[in-house]
Amino acid sequence: MLQCHDIPLMTRSYFKNYFKADTYIGFNKKFTKKDVMLRIGYYYPNNVDFRKHTNIRRLYRFASSLLRINRLKKYPNISFKKGPNWFSIKTEYLNEILDFNNSIFMHGFCADELFIQTILNRFETQQINSKDDNAQALRYIDWHRGGPYVFTINDVDELKKNLNTNYAFARKVVDPEVIDRIFNLE
């Protein structure tokens, strides 16, 4: 069974030139304190896929609220941010990420969409001016035709139109021939 992959949407020289800047981190402007509580304020065990089992997630959330669990109380000075879990940074920021106390993100729900944005939130004002969080994270993703849509050989012209733009990668592609056709390697 083939797996879906991200594919490049930039030529090598365009890619190297484009990534001379520091960071490309998407930020969701509509993220609220209530969203933070729902994501990491309650306790969720790591061994359950809560995206598939929404009723179990609701049960944990309800039990946590009954027990007055609020994991955020320990972190009053953290400004939580949200965005896509895809990002691009220079290596000089890695130690800052690795040294951050990430315990608040453990046992959370979809906490991977808060982790980098919270740690590197100072870059929020430096992002691409776009309403599309995926563009900010440099990913061409079609959420309207799928969850996300899997691009096929029939979508090569659409993908070519986005070659060497603000999208470094397209998500999701299964057929390796799509790459060959985008870059005229056939």
Side-chain angles (χ1 to χ4, degrees), residues 22-41:
D22 281 338
T23 66
Y24 298 91
I25 305 169
F27 289 88
N28 183 319
K29 307 287 187 207
K30 299 175 186 169
F31 192 58
T32 66
K33 289 183 180 185
K34 180 182 177 187
D35 295 328
V36 174
M37 187 64 187
L38 293 175
R39 294 281 182 120
I40 58 176

Side-chain angles (χ1 to χ4, degrees), residues 41-53:
Y42 300 128
Y43 176 85
Y44 302 97
N46 287 338
N47 59 347
V48 179
D49 184 353
F50 289 109
R51 289 182 191 223
K52 292 181 182 176
H53 304 290

Side-chain angles (χ1 to χ4, degrees), residues 54-70:
T54 56
N55 288 333
I56 296 173
R57 182 178 73 228
R58 288 185 190 119
L59 179 65
Y60 271 95
R61 196 180 301 154
F62 178 72
S64 290
S65 63
L66 277 179
L67 297 171
R68 299 183 190 264
I69 293 174
N70 182 348

Side-chain angles (χ1 to χ4, degrees), residues 25-180:
I25 305 169
F27 289 88
N28 183 319
K29 307 287 187 207
K30 299 175 186 169
F31 192 58
T32 66
K33 289 183 180 185
K34 180 182 177 187
D35 295 328
V36 174
M37 187 64 187
L38 293 175
R39 294 281 182 120
I40 58 176
Y42 300 128
Y43 176 85
Y44 302 97
N46 287 338
N47 59 347
V48 179
D49 184 353
F50 289 109
R51 289 182 191 223
K52 292 181 182 176
H53 304 290
T54 56
N55 288 333
I56 296 173
R57 182 178 73 228
R58 288 185 190 119
L59 179 65
Y60 271 95
R61 196 180 301 154
F62 178 72
S64 290
S65 63
L66 277 179
L67 297 171
R68 299 183 190 264
I69 293 174
N70 182 348
R71 298 174 62 229
L72 299 175
K73 285 182 182 178
K74 293 181 188 176
Y75 307 94
N77 298 325
I78 295 179
S79 175
F80 293 99
K81 303 293 181 180
K82 179 188 178 288
N85 57 0
W86 306 287
F87 63 94
S88 301
I89 60 171
K90 287 190 173 184
T91 55
E92 64 192 76
Y93 302 113
L94 287 177
N95 283 338
E96 186 175 347
I97 293 167
L98 295 173
D99 292 341
F100 191 86
N101 177 2
N102 64 7
S103 60
I104 185 61
F105 302 106
M106 302 296 176
H107 302 290
F109 170 67
C110 296
D112 60 330
E113 295 175 352
L114 286 79
F115 184 65
I116 295 299
Q117 286 79 2
T118 297
I119 297 169
L120 299 177
N121 65 34
R122 68 182 177 279
F123 292 107
E124 183 174 15
T125 59
Q126 300 175 18
Q127 296 309 299
I128 298 166
N129 186 13
S130 172
K131 295 178 183 174
D132 181 1
D133 290 333
N134 298 319
Q136 291 180 11
L138 304 174
R139 287 4 183 226
Y140 184 64
I141 306 169
D142 186 340
W143 292 102
H144 300 290
R145 292 182 283 179
Y149 175 72
V150 177
F151 294 101
T152 68
I153 206 75
N154 297 329
D155 302 308
V156 168
D157 289 337
E158 175 185 348
L159 293 169
K160 277 186 172 184
K161 287 178 186 174
N162 289 289
L163 189 65
N164 291 337
T165 63
N166 285 339
Y167 298 109
F169 305 97
R171 181 170 179 80
K172 298 191 167 201
V173 175
V174 174
D175 185 352
E177 190 176 334
V178 172
I179 298 171
D180 293 344

